[in-house]
């Protein structure tokens, strides 16, 4: 057993500490915090929160346990009203809500909701909502044989052409091109 002797005024109680180019952590599961700390320097706020949501596991899950929840299920990184807004978005991908309606449902003004999104996620509610719907569409295109029209409807797009344009702008391929490539 290592026993330290002497006065160490620079020791830290932090889970993760950086000294120049050296990064250390408290061990065990805290390597995730160290990883997020490194990646946080190059990721957008929304991507940092999503990554943290994926990495922060309390225990190893068995195959029968539920799949990971969306970003709204992680209370560690988001203010409660913003978390509720994202949960409502996740529950309403088929019929997207206008920002004003979303703000009313979480009990804040439209402008305050927009400020919360910009401050915490670096994007507007509308752009975040569209990206959330596109991620669902990507998952459905990649993992199911649903017709593209049904995917468009399930993800709140008015037509397959609207979905294809938006999808291609985000992922570089249309849904049909993605399916052919897989």
């Amino acid at each position: 057993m290592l026993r330290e002797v002497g006065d160490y005024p620079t020791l830290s109680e932090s889970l993760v500490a950086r000294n120049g180019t050296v990064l250390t952590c408290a061990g065990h599961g805290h390597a995730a915090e160290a990883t997020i700390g490194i990646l946080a320097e190059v990721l957008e706020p929304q991507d940092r929160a999503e990554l943290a949501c994926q990495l922060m596991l309390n225990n190893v899950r068995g195959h029968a346990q539920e799949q990971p929840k969306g970003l709204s299920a992680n209370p560690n990184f988001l203010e409660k009203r913003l978390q509720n807004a994202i949960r409502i978005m996740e529950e309403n991908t088929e019929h997207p809500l206008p920002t004003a309606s979303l703000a009313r449902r979480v009990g804040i003004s439209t402008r305050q909701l927009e400020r919360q999104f910009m401050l915490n996620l670096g994007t507007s509610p509308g752009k975040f909502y569209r990206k959330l719907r596109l991620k669902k569409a990507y998952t459905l295109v990649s993992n199911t044989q649903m017709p593209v029209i049904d995917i468009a409807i399930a993800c709140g797009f008015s037509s397959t052409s609207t979905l294809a344009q938006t999808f291609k702008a985000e992922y570089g391929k249309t849904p049909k091109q993605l399916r052919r490539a897989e």
Side-chain angles (χ1 to χ4, degrees), residues 15-43:
L15 294 176
V16 179
R18 174 175 263 160
N19 184 357
T21 60
V22 177
L23 187 88
T24 60
C25 66
H28 299 290
H30 304 300
E33 283 89 342
T35 302
I36 292 170
I38 294 168
L39 294 175
E41 297 169 6
V42 296
L43 293 176

Side-chain angles (χ1 to χ4, degrees), residues 33-71:
E33 283 89 342
T35 302
I36 292 170
I38 294 168
L39 294 175
E41 297 169 6
V42 296
L43 293 176
E44 295 297 320
Q46 175 183 345
D47 296 326
R48 284 195 305 260
E50 193 165 307
L51 174 65
C53 182
Q54 296 300 316
L55 292 177
M56 298 299 171
L57 300 174
N58 292 330
N59 54 36
V60 176
R61 294 170 298 155
H63 292 180
Q65 289 187 339
E66 283 187 278
Q67 292 185 20
K69 302 285 188 270
L71 184 57

Side-chain angles (χ1 to χ4, degrees), residues 150-161:
D150 291 345
I151 293 172
I153 292 168
C155 297
F157 293 94
S158 59
S159 67
T160 55
S161 60

Side-chain angles (χ1 to χ4, degrees), residues 4 8-19 24-26:
E4 294 160 344
Y8 298 97
T10 59
L11 292 180
S12 170
E13 298 272 326
S14 301
L15 294 176
V16 179
R18 174 175 263 160
N19 184 357
T24 60
C25 66

Side-chain angles (χ1 to χ4, degrees), residues 3 6-7 10 20 22 31 36 47-48 57 61 76-77 79 102 107 110 112 118 139 156 161 163 170 175-176:
R3 294 183 192 257
D7 184 21
T10 59
V22 177
I36 292 170
D47 296 326
R48 284 195 305 260
L57 300 174
R61 294 170 298 155
N76 297 320
F77 294 95
E79 190 265 338
L102 187 61
T110 301
Q112 182 61 21
M118 287 306 291
T139 300
S161 60
L163 172 61
E170 182 71 22
K176 288 182 180 182

Side-chain angles (χ1 to χ4, degrees), residues 113-141:
L113 182 65
E114 290 168 346
R115 278 194 293 267
Q116 285 291 321
F117 267 87
M118 287 306 291
L119 179 67
N120 291 282
L121 300 172
T123 190
S124 70
K127 287 180 182 175
F128 180 88
Y129 211 167
R130 184 175 56 250
K131 190 165 189 154
L132 181 77
R133 293 169 31 233
L134 280 170
K135 283 183 179 183
K136 180 178 179 180
Y138 188 94
T139 300
L140 292 173
V141 168

